[in-house]
Amino acid sequence: MQTDDLHRQPGVRAPEPSRHSEPTDSAAEEAGRLLYTPAAAAERLTVGESWLRRKAGQRLIPCTFIGKHLRFSDEDLRAIVAAGSRGPRLRDQTPSRPGRRHRIRR
C-alpha cells in the first residue's frame, strides 16, 4: 500500500492530469500580456478609449497595427506614460501659455 492510498478518502478519486496545461492566473500575470486591445490599454492607462484611438490614428503615440487591428504592447504603454510625464514647474519659470489679455476701458 502506498502512502497516497492512506490519505485518500473512500469514494473520492484523485483528479486526472489535464492534457492541456492551462496557465494559472499568477503564471499568466507573470508572463504579462503580449498585446492589449484599445479598450484594455485605455483601462490600464486610465484614459478614454476614444482618446487613445484618435492619438494612435494620428500616429501621435506608439502603437502596433496587426493588419487593420490596433493593439498596444507593454513597451507602447510605457512610452505613452513617459511621453506624458512632466517635471515640476518652478515659480520663476514663465507660464506654459500666455495670460489672458484684458481690455482697457476708456
Side-chain angles (χ1 to χ4, degrees), residues 33-88:
R33 293 183 68 163
L34 183 59
L35 294 173
Y36 296 93
T37 63
E43 186 177 324
R44 262 191 95 136
L45 295 171
T46 63
V47 299
E49 183 180 350
S50 61
W51 178 88
L52 200 62
R53 284 182 178 276
R54 186 172 56 253
K55 296 295 182 181
Q58 295 170 347
R59 305 301 192 269
L60 296 176
I61 57 173
C63 61
T64 303
F65 281 95
I66 300 178
K68 64 178 183 175
H69 302 285
L70 175 62
R71 297 291 183 264
F72 296 90
S73 67
D74 281 326
E75 269 186 42
D76 293 338
L77 299 183
R78 282 190 209 96
I80 292 168
V81 171
S85 176
R86 302 287 186 262

